[in-house]
Amino acid sequence: MSQHLSDAPRSAAAPAADASARDWWRDAVIYQVYPRSFADGNGDGMGDLPGVTARLPYLRDLGVDAVWLSPFYASPQADAGYDVADYREVDPMFGDLNDADDLVRTAHALGLRVIVDLVPNHCSDQHEWFKQALREGPGSALRDRFHFRAGKGAHGELPPNDWESIFGGPAWTRTTEPDGTPGQWYLHLFAPEQPDFNWDHPAVHEEFRSVLRFWLDLGTDGFRIDVAHGLVKAAGLPDIGHSEQLALLGSAPMPYFDQDGVHEIYRGWRRILDEYPGERIGVAEAWTPTIERAALYLRPDELHQAFNFEYLATPWDAAALHKVIDKSLAAMGAVGAPATWVLSNHDVTRHATRFANPHGGTQLREAGDRELGLRRARAATLLMLALPGSAYLYQGEELGLPDVTDLPDEVRQDPSFFRAAGQDGFRDGCRVPIPWSGTEPPYGFGPEGGGSWLPQPASWAQLSVAAQTGDPASTLELYRSALALRRELPALGAGRSVQWLDAPEGVLAFRRDGAGDGFLCLVNLTAEPVVLTVPGGRPLLSSAAQPPAAVPAAGGSPDPVDGIEVTIAADTAIWWAI
Ligand code: GLC
């Protein structure tokens, strides 16, 4: 297959918009640290804040701009910390507030920003308010801060409505009243240990405004807002009228997700963020039916960014990726927000495994073709980092880690694995502690003998940071080179559009103007090599271990007027300077 790349742009995806407000977050590369699994400072097999702090120079050298930490608050860990008992305390398993303070200061000294995870949709059943609400029984004023209801049926034995938990089973759990009789039910969109707050109650608003200030005062640079689309529920908590509601998520409007009322909350939070110097940001985890609905969270007086889950869920398919890139740039451009890009996080099968699997999906149990998955994952990373906007990396993807698909059931901890009786909930596979060095577990994750809370595969010795450092063919060095180039060519993250170039089926080719003399990103998503003719220039970086073969198109002329023929291997991306 051979194709001449024309210089003419085929489409400019986003409308031209005001580019004056180019703030740090608009093109930031943000690295997600999952504190349980990043680095264990005290040798108890569980990652902690001092462990993260000690490894921050690694992240500075990797070349990212900011770190987002999943929750480290006081929590019984029913959902790995997304069940918060005290929003102003660090769980002892992770350290204490001084450690959090230390982490933020050290990061800032290294030029890294720090974003913390805020969980406002629900708390833990061990949160003081909820414990008191249970203790005081029906009529307690504290019960109004949650969704307590009488059950249906002659004896209140049926849940108040038909909503299902995202983790499987009903979204309601019946309480036992202080006198021992079966009592009211309470709503939990996730695990029973995660009661939903009632955001119609002013005390809930007041509490979260205060929590925001608490962490902003400590110096954090912003918040990733967990389940940002869930806070407001439709009045009267109406039935949905279907079972298997999980299948409807993301495509149909739901009475508990993406209600218009959430936007007023984020307008209030934006005012608080703006009171602080240094552009503190809010990032929405908002699963919405369309990208356009996600963009509503990013209007100029609301939050700054939202995760692009549609991009994450797009298979390794050129046409599908082309479409989602255009759609994302247009939707975000329309509200003046940067597009964001993400391939992996702590809730989905790592992309090196997703792309190895012909069936797709984000909760996979099959390892698939490891080599194929890694080749595509590396190419996907170069594609993502060449797009305008902000990119999110998940710890360990820079090592090319696959998901651990063969964890025995008895070590799994994902609550949805147990709720759904093994049907779903395979998130532990992407949460295995990452390998830093050495030939035996815990591979430098913590001190020798300290173990790791999920077992690490024997094959990870060769994937450790130490094993990959200095090996030009390694995935780690590919990330380092790509991030260094992104810094050298700030235009890569800037702007709101790409210029698509004509390319054969299965190939993506676009130009990013303003990046040096001219920058092309060429991605071959097919299983065969392709030959493209480019106007001249040289390769900057290839996702394949070997640089691409490039010869003058006109058959050997030292100063080719007809361009250069570049052979791009199967499942490979190339950054090319012209
Ligand atoms: C978000 C988190 C996920 C958690 C859920 C409930 O989706 O990313 O890990 O289980 O919210 O808090």
Side-chain angles (χ1 to χ4, degrees):
M1 214 179 338
S2 176
Q3 174 79 36
H4 206 101
L5 290 178
S6 87
D7 273 337
R10 251 198 302 153
S11 76
D18 165 37
S20 57
R22 196 170 161 276
D23 308 314
W24 72 266
W25 44 275
R26 286 191 174 271
D27 60 355
V29 177
I30 301 176
Y31 182 100
Q32 180 187 359
V33 163
Y34 194 65
R36 298 168 69 97
S37 304
F38 189 67
D40 171 16
N42 64 3
D44 63 357
M46 178 64 67
D48 47 43
L49 297 187
V52 177
T53 304
R55 298 289 191 184
L56 286 172
Y58 165 78
L59 296 180
R60 189 256 333 260
D61 295 346
L62 183 62
V64 301
D65 301 293
V67 178
W68 146 40
L69 295 130
S70 282
F72 49 77
Y73 309 106
S75 160
Q77 303 288 316
D79 184 23
Y82 283 95
D83 48 319
V84 180
D86 187 338
Y87 291 85
R88 297 178 187 80
E89 275 299 343
V90 172
D91 196 279
M93 82 169 25
F94 295 123
D96 59 22
L97 277 175
N98 285 328
D99 296 321
D101 191 55
D102 233 33
L103 189 157
V104 172
R105 282 165 196 270
T106 309
H108 287 171
L110 292 167
L112 294 167
R113 289 186 163 84
V114 179
I115 294 168
V116 291
D117 216 309
L118 188 72
V119 190
N121 179 67
H122 46 264
C123 56
S124 158
D125 61 354
Q126 298 307 305
H127 189 283
E128 271 314 315
W129 288 4
F130 191 75
K131 287 201 294 191
Q132 198 179 331
L134 281 190
R135 260 198 321 268
E136 291 180 356
S140 155
L142 267 297
R143 290 205 174 193
D144 296 342
R145 298 180 185 187
F146 300 93
H147 297 281
F148 277 89
R149 295 284 185 283
K152 286 185 176 163
H155 308 286
E157 71 280 13
L158 299 172
N161 72 14
D162 68 357
W163 294 3
E164 293 170 0
S165 154
I166 312 304
F167 288 167
W172 296 88
T173 290
R174 194 169 193 186
T175 61
T176 303
E177 301 303 357
D179 66 2
T181 57
Q184 290 184 311
W185 298 69
Y186 67 90
L187 176 70
H188 52 86
L189 291 182
F190 294 89
E193 296 87 350
Q194 294 169 295
D196 278 47
F197 283 115
N198 172 15
W199 276 88
D200 285 334
H201 199 295
V204 174
H205 288 255
E206 193 40 53
E207 170 66 357
F208 274 92
R209 284 194 291 259
S210 152
V211 168
L212 283 176
R213 289 208 160 85
F214 180 87
W215 290 99
L216 291 168
D217 288 340
L218 193 126
T220 61
D221 299 283
F223 301 92
R224 176 262 189 190
I225 299 156
D226 189 63
V227 195
H229 53 309
L231 278 49
V232 173
K233 277 72 180 176
L237 311 184
D239 277 338
I240 290 166
H242 295 274
S243 56
E244 312 220 345
Q245 292 158 12
L246 259 191
L248 301 175
L249 290 183
S251 56
M254 300 302 253
Y256 49 77
F257 277 164
D258 197 30
Q259 299 291 305
D260 288 335
V262 294
H263 296 290
E264 203 41 49
I265 298 171
Y266 300 128
R267 284 187 198 107
W269 290 10
R270 178 59 179 259
R271 289 193 289 275
I272 294 174
L273 292 169
D274 286 349
E275 282 171 22
Y276 286 79
E279 296 162 12
R280 319 282 174 108
I281 67 167
V283 183
E285 187 218 19
W287 294 82
T288 54
T290 62
I291 290 185
E292 289 74 15
R293 289 287 306 179
L296 296 180
Y297 291 72
L298 309 181
R299 287 173 287 190
D301 58 347
E302 297 195 38
L303 301 173
H304 298 74
Q305 295 186 346
F307 293 101
N308 191 342
F309 292 122
E310 199 164 324
Y311 185 72
L312 182 148
T314 304
W316 187 240
D317 176 275
L321 282 164
H322 187 144
K323 194 163 148 201
V324 73
I325 290 168
D326 277 352
K327 217 158 75 152
S328 308
L329 290 168
M332 297 306 158
V335 292
T340 68
W341 316 101
V342 60
L343 292 165
S344 280
N345 66 31
H346 66 294
D347 288 331
V348 298
T349 304
R350 286 182 177 279
H351 62 282
T353 298
R354 284 206 318 274
F355 292 149
N357 197 294
H359 306 300
T362 57
Q363 301 293 314
L364 299 178
R365 270 171 288 180
E366 299 82 34
D369 178 340
R370 165 92 183 103
E371 233 176 81
L372 176 72
L374 182 60
R375 202 161 60 234
R376 290 179 171 174
R378 290 165 56 109
T381 296
L382 288 201
L383 167 61
M384 172 169 85
L385 292 176
L387 294 171
S390 182
Y392 281 81
L393 307 180
Y394 175 53
Q395 65 176 41
E397 70 169 80
E398 77 278 21
L399 304 175
L401 294 188
D403 229 64
V404 182
T405 46
D406 58 356
L407 285 171
D409 289 359
E410 58 276 14
V411 305
R412 289 188 183 274
Q413 300 200 15
D414 181 350
S416 55
F417 177 77
F418 302 100
R419 292 272 295 173
Q423 295 300 299
D424 202 348
F426 290 90
R427 300 180 300 172
D428 290 311
C430 65
R431 298 176 177 179
V432 173
I434 63 173
W436 292 90
S437 59
T439 53
E440 300 281 331
Y443 303 119
F445 164 62
E448 223 170 285
S452 62
W453 68 279
L454 285 171
Q456 299 160 302
S459 56
W460 279 17
Q462 67 212 43
L463 296 178
S464 74
V465 170
Q468 296 196 39
T469 294
D471 173 0
S474 73
T475 303
L476 178 56
E477 293 299 347
L478 176 71
Y479 271 72
R480 285 178 172 152
S481 302
L483 292 168
L485 274 168
R486 206 175 136 108
R487 280 178 181 243
E488 272 170 42
L489 305 171
L492 271 194
R496 298 213 175 106
S497 63
V498 300
Q499 291 182 12
W500 293 106
L501 305 171
D502 282 328
E505 207 183 320
V507 175
L508 293 176
F510 60 85
R511 192 180 172 124
R512 298 296 322 281
D513 279 335
D517 291 336
F519 176 96
L520 299 181
C521 180
L522 312 171
V523 193
N524 175 11
L525 294 96
T526 74
E528 302 295 329
V530 292
V531 179
L532 300 177
T533 306
V534 298
R538 67 195 164 90
L540 289 171
L541 193 59
S542 166
S543 68
Q546 298 300 321
V551 295
S557 148
D559 184 16
V561 281
D562 295 328
I564 298 178
E565 284 188 346
V566 186
T567 304
I568 307 177
D571 295 313
T572 295
I574 288 173
W575 286 3
W576 187 274
I578 43 172

